Amino acid sequence: MSKISLSRYLIQAQHQGKIPSDLRFLIEVVARACKNIAYNVNKGALANLLGSAGSSNVQGETQQKLDVIANEVLLEANEWGGHLSAMASEEMEYIYEIPNYYPQGGYLLLFDPLDGSSNIDVNVSIGTIFSVLRKTSDNQKVLEQDFFQPGNKQVASGYALYGPQTIFVLTIGEGVYIFTLDRDLGSFILTREKVKIPHSTKEFAINMSNMRHWSEPVKRYVDECLAGETGIRGKNFNMRWVASMVADVHRILTRGGVFLYPWDKREPNKAGKLRLMYEANPMSFLIEQAGGLSINGKQRILDVEPQALHERVAVMLGSKEEVEILQKYHTENI
Ligand code: P6P
């Protein structure tokens, strides 16, 4: 079978009327930026790119050098093409309006430029997460409020995973497609199409060190997984925690599983640790497109109405049967 590149997949999708040309162009630009980020990530210490940048981001987290580089690569790649009105990033407090000396476009791009930064210096997989919305308001000047759309309004989302392979995973709303970077060609090549997550699983992913802080429904669910075949689940479970959401989600897309970063008592006023707009929403779009579910304990994450650009959300996503159990336990606990 001839190799299908990301560009060919996108051109075919455009010719089939699934995406307009400017969205095709947007995704190609993001993918090209991710190749650039992969190059820098792979250089690491050789180019003195590890360690802290000596600054912190809007979240109050110390920025790694590669966090800053990845953010700049995405801004510079996307600002001139005429497909965007503005961008938003985990690394920037305010939205980034396309400078008026560049053509303006109809899309809004949101991203976590380098997710899993605590893993950079120890050579564990990290990634870039992106989400695409339409600018729906007709106000000339793009406003932060233009971004406050629920995740069910996304027109595309995906991630790049910088691991043993460099992977680009994408949905434009007609299933999930996985592309692997062929370094000889410099192209992302289609390696899995119409990915489907198994409805049942024997693998859960959560940071167990937070157990004493969890709510009762989460404790109940994890305790039952730990009880294994001797408990009511009647099967043994395996546990994974990479501490890079992109790597954990990719494992779940690839072989099933459930990922939890729930609300906990450490900071009770925070809904969770992960960010709604550029982590939970893009990942939830992919998970649902692959036949999984993604909830915050109260509702479908894609239905959450955003109130702030960097708002956080509890996340429980993955294999349908497991997330349905978690939803049941949260509903019973009200
Ligand atoms: P913890 C990475 O910092 C991140 O935002 C996600 O990618 C990851 O799933 C989570 O935080 C890890 O959090 O508390 O286990 O370090």
Side-chain angles (χ1 to χ4, degrees):
M1 180 178 87
S2 65
K3 291 183 175 182
I4 295 182
S5 67
L6 174 64
S7 296
R8 179 172 168 184
Y9 165 77
L10 291 170
I11 288 281
Q12 286 174 339
Q14 179 187 324
H15 290 168
Q16 291 158 6
K18 293 173 181 170
I19 52 171
S21 61
D22 49 355
L23 179 55
R24 175 197 39 88
F25 178 69
L26 188 166
I27 295 167
E28 286 189 313
V29 170
V30 169
R32 203 172 306 130
C34 289
K35 280 191 274 190
N36 186 336
I37 294 168
Y39 173 82
N40 284 285
V41 165
N42 295 155
K43 277 280 182 192
L46 295 174
N48 187 29
L49 292 178
L50 300 184
S52 164
S55 51
S56 57
N57 64 16
V58 63
Q59 330 287 344
E61 295 163 342
T62 303
Q63 287 180 305
Q64 302 299 301
K65 289 177 190 170
L66 281 167
D67 285 324
V68 177
I69 290 168
N71 193 59
E72 286 167 1
V73 164
L74 282 158
L75 293 177
E76 288 161 14
N78 281 286
E79 64 178 348
W80 48 264
H83 49 285
L84 295 177
S85 291
M87 294 182 251
S89 166
E90 180 191 51
E91 300 303 326
M92 302 185 303
E93 183 165 4
Y94 305 108
I95 65 170
Y96 180 88
E97 295 174 55
I98 299 302
N100 54 23
Y101 44 82
Y102 288 132
Q104 307 291 308
Y107 293 102
L108 304 172
L109 177 65
L110 305 94
F111 45 81
D112 180 355
L114 205 57
D115 176 68
S117 303
S118 63
N119 283 325
I120 295 174
D121 289 0
V122 294
N123 197 26
V124 171
S125 299
I126 50 183
T128 298
I129 309 171
F130 68 93
S131 169
V132 185
L133 295 167
R134 283 192 189 83
K135 179 179 178 292
T136 53
S137 71
D138 51 16
N139 41 289
Q140 182 60 31
K141 179 173 170 45
V142 62
L143 304 171
E144 189 174 80
Q145 284 67 19
D146 286 309
F147 285 81
F148 296 176
Q149 302 176 43
N152 58 44
K153 297 294 187 190
Q154 291 174 102
V155 293
S157 81
Y159 59 81
L161 176 59
Y162 312 117
Q165 304 98 42
T166 294
I167 299 276
F168 189 78
V169 180
L170 172 70
T171 185
I172 54 174
E174 51 118 35
V176 175
Y177 291 75
I178 300 179
F179 302 84
T180 303
L181 181 62
D182 180 328
R183 294 184 185 283
D184 299 327
L185 294 174
S187 301
F188 281 113
I189 302 299
L190 181 64
T191 43
R192 270 190 73 177
E193 55 187 324
K194 294 188 169 49
V195 175
K196 286 298 172 200
I197 301 172
H199 283 175
S200 65
T201 183
K202 295 180 180 177
E203 204 158 61
F204 69 94
I206 192 166
N207 182 335
M208 292 294 286
S209 69
N210 301 323
M211 180 182 274
R212 63 189 182 284
H213 305 303
W214 297 338
S215 67
E216 287 312 310
V218 172
K219 279 182 187 162
R220 178 181 173 190
Y221 174 78
V222 173
D223 284 344
E224 287 173 359
C225 291
L226 295 175
E229 58 191 9
T230 64
I232 65 164
R233 300 302 310 271
K235 60 182 178 181
N236 294 326
F237 279 76
N238 198 11
M239 195 213 86
R240 287 285 182 273
W241 189 250
V242 183
S244 283
M245 185 186 197
V246 182
D248 281 314
V249 168
H250 189 69
R251 186 188 58 254
I252 288 166
L253 275 175
T254 308
R255 68 183 189 213
V258 59
F259 169 96
L260 301 88
Y261 211 111
W263 168 92
D264 71 46
K265 301 169 189 165
R266 287 176 293 174
E267 295 185 87
N269 297 328
K270 274 187 185 175
K273 171 179 184 181
L274 302 179
R275 288 81 172 180
L276 174 66
M277 299 302 293
Y278 40 76
E279 289 178 332
N281 272 344
M283 290 312 203
S284 299
F285 190 18
L286 289 162
I287 291 292
E288 289 202 0
Q289 282 286 310
L293 295 177
S294 180
I295 63 170
N296 63 0
K298 299 185 183 76
Q299 66 187 115
R300 188 171 165 247
I301 282 180
L302 291 180
D303 293 333
V304 174
E305 288 290 345
Q307 307 299 320
L309 193 59
H310 299 291
E311 82 177 62
R312 298 172 189 264
V313 68
V315 179
M316 291 167 277
L317 60 77
S319 290
K320 188 169 183 290
E321 285 173 16
E322 300 305 311
V323 180
E324 283 174 342
I325 292 170
L326 280 157
Q327 183 57 70
K328 178 172 178 285
Y329 290 179
H330 279 81
T331 306
E332 288 172 354
N333 190 53
I334 293 173

